[in-house]
Amino acid sequence: MIDARAVLAKKRVGGKLERAEIEGFVRAYARGELADYFASAFLMAVFVRGMDARETADLTRAMLESGERWCFALGRPTADKHSTGGVGDKVSIPLAPAVAACGVAVPMVSGRGLGHTGGTLDKLESIAGFRTGLSRAEFERGLVDCGVAFGAQTEELVPADRKLYALRDVTGLIESVPLIASSIMSKKLAEGIDALVLDVKYGSGAFLPERERGAELARAMLSIAGSFGLRAVAFPTCMGRPLGDTAGHALEIGESLECLRGRGPADLRELVLVFGASMLALSGAAASEAEGRARIARALDDGSALAVFERVVAAQGGDARALERWPDPRWQAARVPLLAPRAGWFRWTDVRALGWAIVDLGGGRRALGDAINPFPGLVFHARDGQRVERGERLLEVQATGARVPDAVLDRLRGSFALEDGPFEPEPLVGTPLRA
Ligand code: URA
């Protein structure tokens, strides 16, 4: 039996934990042999004192071993992408079908919205009937039949992370590099994938806004990938502005469909091309990233990615016919514009506020188990660095109800600045880091 108090005492003063100590602690907690208060104290000690690369890899292994590891006989390579989250980040929805259309299976174990960010599963559930609570067997069937399955972490997949994550959420212990890295990587390793692309966001809409903290997280995840022999690459991407032209669950499904039809916003398409190219090249399905990029572009433009998505929607119980009428033009009537109070060069300054505005409108959760209204959202008209005139429409708020609450409009007014001179917007994608 692990001496939990000795483990806590060691980490409390910044000591390095042995592999056996980490494994013993995590195993005992996952089996219910240690109370939550021991785990909370452990998480706080790691949060404050940190962990080195070896300890972080040991923590990842201990969590990974708490549950099952998938190994599906698919006869083709498998790859996944993980984003650290942001506002308007719907990349997974067009990316996974595009990659599958190019012959690489994508077991997309996704998350729900967290804080100011929307989750892929919540977005997909705005399609009537779409079911994300898949069992392992349903994941496998989806991968065999469609090449993609979108679902939540199952009960058996890294149960230690499930318990620790819930504790971190309620105790405010999310923003720690070793805890985030081990949590994400244990789930990705459990998927049994051949290759992983990490989208590490920085900027005011990211969980770790400082670029250097994002890079630290990227290095920690790549170091774990290296310890487990998983081919991985991390792209720093700008979340100092929202991604695409909309944010909000149903609106983002519309934008994903546009991307799958070979259209849609340029920044969304660019991330799908960059990540898709990497997933094909890393998993060995393409000889180079250039070849991978060309194949992903073709899958978006010739309808094959869209056909995969339609099959996935039908396979997971969704109303595939509804996609033809999406986005509904009648939504236009429910939009309230926000106008420029003066002329200037538009700059996003607080992207998090956009996410919270959607939560305020009912399009996100304040507490675990809250129902989400998929309809509310934002439509962006002004872009970073663009010259706007007084009275010009900067964005629109799509809301249910007769009027948009003043508090929401005030929040949105605080999310941008109008500068006196022109400036170059931050590049969308930075130099990739490799394992
Ligand atoms: N997503 C995860 O899966 N884990 C974290 O710790 C943070 C984001």
Side-chain angles (χ1 to χ4, degrees), residues 82 114 161 165 168 174 179-181 183-184 187:
H82 181 87
L114 184 65
D161 171 67
Y165 191 86
R168 286 168 59 210
I174 297 288
L179 296 180
I180 298 177
S183 163
I184 292 173
K187 285 176 289 218

Side-chain angles (χ1 to χ4, degrees), residues 70 72 74 76 78-79 100 104-108 136-150 191 316:
W70 291 349
F72 301 134
L74 301 172
R76 53 180 148 168
T78 51
V104 174
V106 186
M108 188 63 78
R136 174 193 172 132
E138 287 171 324
F139 258 105
E140 184 166 14
R141 172 101 340 259
L143 291 169
V144 169
D145 291 348
C146 310
V148 188
F150 287 104
E191 290 175 1
Q316 295 193 213

Side-chain angles (χ1 to χ4, degrees), residues 15-82:
K16 301 242 176 288
L17 297 178
E18 299 302 324
R19 178 170 169 174
E21 291 171 318
I22 295 173
E23 274 177 4
F25 194 98
V26 171
R27 189 180 311 125
Y29 179 59
R31 287 181 181 162
E33 294 161 10
L34 279 183
D36 282 348
Y37 46 77
F38 280 109
S40 303
F42 175 81
L43 293 168
M44 178 61 92
V46 173
F47 190 96
V48 173
R49 292 296 187 173
M51 276 185 156
D52 68 14
R54 195 268 308 151
E55 289 176 290
T56 309
D58 288 342
L59 178 59
T60 309
R61 183 176 299 101
M63 296 210 289
L64 179 60
E65 286 173 358
S66 69
E68 64 185 25
R69 285 178 82 164
W70 291 349
C71 177
F72 301 134
L74 301 172
R76 53 180 148 168
T78 51
D80 197 3
K81 187 268 315 180
H82 181 87

Side-chain angles (χ1 to χ4, degrees), residues 57-264:
D58 288 342
L59 178 59
T60 309
R61 183 176 299 101
M63 296 210 289
L64 179 60
E65 286 173 358
S66 69
E68 64 185 25
R69 285 178 82 164
W70 291 349
C71 177
F72 301 134
L74 301 172
R76 53 180 148 168
T78 51
D80 197 3
K81 187 268 315 180
H82 181 87
S83 158
T84 56
V87 175
D89 182 3
K90 69 281 291 172
V91 171
S92 296
I93 300 169
L95 174 68
V99 169
C102 296
V104 174
V106 186
M108 188 63 78
V109 176
S110 304
R112 300 263 167 211
L114 184 65
H116 65 286
T117 67
T120 299
L121 301 181
D122 296 324
K123 290 172 196 178
L124 287 165
E125 285 176 1
S126 52
I127 303 169
F130 196 100
R131 220 168 46 78
T132 57
L134 305 183
S135 65
R136 174 193 172 132
E138 287 171 324
F139 258 105
E140 184 166 14
R141 172 101 340 259
L143 291 169
V144 169
D145 291 348
C146 310
V148 188
F150 287 104
Q153 180 179 4
T154 65
E155 290 289 331
E156 298 78 21
L157 204 76
V158 203
D161 171 67
R162 177 191 287 284
K163 289 184 76 178
L164 289 171
Y165 191 86
L167 271 189
R168 286 168 59 210
D169 198 16
V170 291
T171 53
L173 296 174
I174 297 288
E175 286 106 342
S176 145
V177 166
L179 296 180
I180 298 177
S182 55
S183 163
I184 292 173
M185 292 304 290
S186 57
K187 285 176 289 218
K188 295 294 131 185
L189 288 160
E191 290 175 1
I193 48 179
D194 300 309
L196 176 65
V197 168
L198 295 163
D199 175 7
V200 184
K201 306 238 174 255
Y202 66 91
S204 65
F207 280 109
L208 298 177
E210 305 84 22
R211 200 173 174 149
E212 188 35 49
R213 289 281 324 275
E216 195 191 328
L217 175 60
R219 285 192 295 271
M221 291 193 286
L222 290 173
S223 161
I224 295 169
S227 309
F228 287 85
L230 173 64
R231 279 168 269 160
V233 60
F235 290 91
T237 68
C238 178
M239 193 23 79
R241 52 183 182 259
L243 184 73
D245 295 338
T246 65
H249 296 83
L251 285 167
E252 291 187 50
I253 290 294
E255 208 163 72
S256 303
L257 286 166
E258 280 300 283
C259 184
L260 286 163
R261 291 174 186 136
R263 305 190 294 251

